[in-house]
Amino acid sequence: MLIAAQTCSMNVALATPHPRYVYFNFFSERLNGDILINEDQKSTSLSRLVFRSRVRNMVSPEKLLYKQPSVLVGRTDVVSVTPWLAPIVWEGTFDPVLVDNIYKPMNLTVATTVFAIGKYVRFLQDFLETAEKHFMVGFHVRYYVFTDRPHDVPSVNLSQGRHLSVIQVPGSNRWQEISARRMEIIQTTIERQIRREADYIFCLDVDSKFHARWGSESLGRLVAVIHPGYYEQTRDRFPYERRPASTAYIPMDEGDYYYGGAMIGGFVEDVYTLTKVCRTRFEEDAGNSIEAAWQEESHLNRYLLDNKPSKVLSPEYLWQDFKAKTKEVKVIRFSGVIKNYADVRPNV
Ligand code: UDP
Ligand code: MN
């Protein structure tokens, strides 16, 4: 029985403007010090969390017809596998019908976390509307919207099997803090509810839109995306944290890719560990009065250097509207919108 989940829904302290969304308050539970635990936690131990994520066999439905895969003909203009043999997902490296037919019968739920704090609530409408068109279409999707302005969350029509929760979190007057605290809040929310509600999770930036399919080809145990700004650079040019005093430090002669902080994905369990480690290191740095060059993105890059992702998404999955399309990018699937930093951020 999910006692904790019931506690959450009783915590609805808001006049709910959208009856179809579920509202939680992030801190009310934390402060009352009386978090009830559910049976699966009791029967194991509090330090051993139970997750829904599990490895499944890749079963292709009988008689499914699709193009013969070739051993000799394929993309040659891009690299589609890492040196540790994880796929790098580009248009033309997967068959969308085949992958969907393998993953759909698994009856998966995909969690999507998105933060919209302060003026960033203005990005939610486009984010959600375009996600409904392109993101994991045909799958169960649970959006978790973290905001300090729950009344400004737009009402968006969700397709069947898709669900949205609004979770109230405090605002901040420093964007660096908002960006960095995402790790802590994701970690805590996974612990509290997402680990029971979803198999996979994607944590995405809100100041973005989907433009084309982002589907089951993106699913994997630990999934990262190559930042569109640095994939043509040598690693000594990557904006990794370069000060040895930081736990995010990466020396000049190390590093695989420069991963974008606007997307972290994978099994809920693996993303949980990632957020927990990054949060702890971020706090350790703060204790030593050091903030990594690109906050959680720097910690993410350090984590992924040691813990290699099992799937890497090409920059098709994280573009920027101000950046002209390059010839190797055949499809832009998700792209950051152009924003006026002075206008949307609480500090410069
Ligand atoms: N964010 C927010 N409010 C802010 C600043 C940031 O909600 O005032 C969240 C939002 O989800 C945003 C993410 O943190 O997409 C990362 O910040 P931002 O997009 O400004 O970083 P950039 O992509 O420009 O590096
Ligand atoms: Mn962004």
Side-chain angles (χ1 to χ4, degrees), residues 114-118 120 175 178-179 182 204-207 294 296 339 341 344-346:
V114 67
F115 286 73
I117 296 177
Y120 280 58
W175 65 264
I178 294 171
S179 192
R182 288 191 288 178
L204 302 171
D205 260 23
V206 73
D207 57 330
W294 290 101
E296 86 289 7
K339 60 186 190 289
Y341 284 97
V344 291
R345 283 184 172 173

Side-chain angles (χ1 to χ4, degrees), residues 164-275:
L164 189 150
S165 309
V166 178
I167 302 175
Q168 187 166 8
V169 294
S172 168
N173 50 21
R174 277 189 77 231
W175 65 264
Q176 295 91 336
E177 184 183 300
I178 294 171
S179 192
R181 287 208 53 219
R182 288 191 288 178
M183 291 288 190
E184 178 199 344
I185 294 174
I186 294 167
Q187 182 212 328
T188 317
T189 311
I190 290 178
E191 228 165 80
R192 201 170 60 186
Q193 60 184 116
I194 301 176
R195 67 190 173 85
R196 298 188 205 95
E197 296 174 350
D199 304 277
Y200 289 91
I201 182 170
F202 286 100
C203 310
L204 302 171
D205 260 23
V206 73
D207 57 330
S208 342
K209 287 192 227 175
F210 293 85
H211 299 277
R213 175 196 165 97
W214 177 320
S216 56
E217 72 282 0
S218 65
L219 297 175
R221 194 180 48 73
L222 182 61
V223 186
V225 66
I226 296 175
H227 194 294
Y230 302 96
Y231 69 90
E232 291 154 308
Q233 309 268 354
T234 54
R235 58 188 172 192
D236 56 308
R237 309 278 296 270
F238 292 164
Y240 291 149
E241 171 55 57
R242 301 299 189 179
R243 292 166 297 175
S246 167
T247 55
Y249 170 60
I250 300 182
M252 288 296 183
D253 55 353
E254 290 184 38
D256 299 313
Y257 310 102
Y258 190 75
Y259 300 107
M263 197 291 298
I264 318 166
F267 270 170
V268 174
E269 181 161 11
D270 292 78
V271 172
Y272 174 74
T273 307
L274 179 155
T275 53

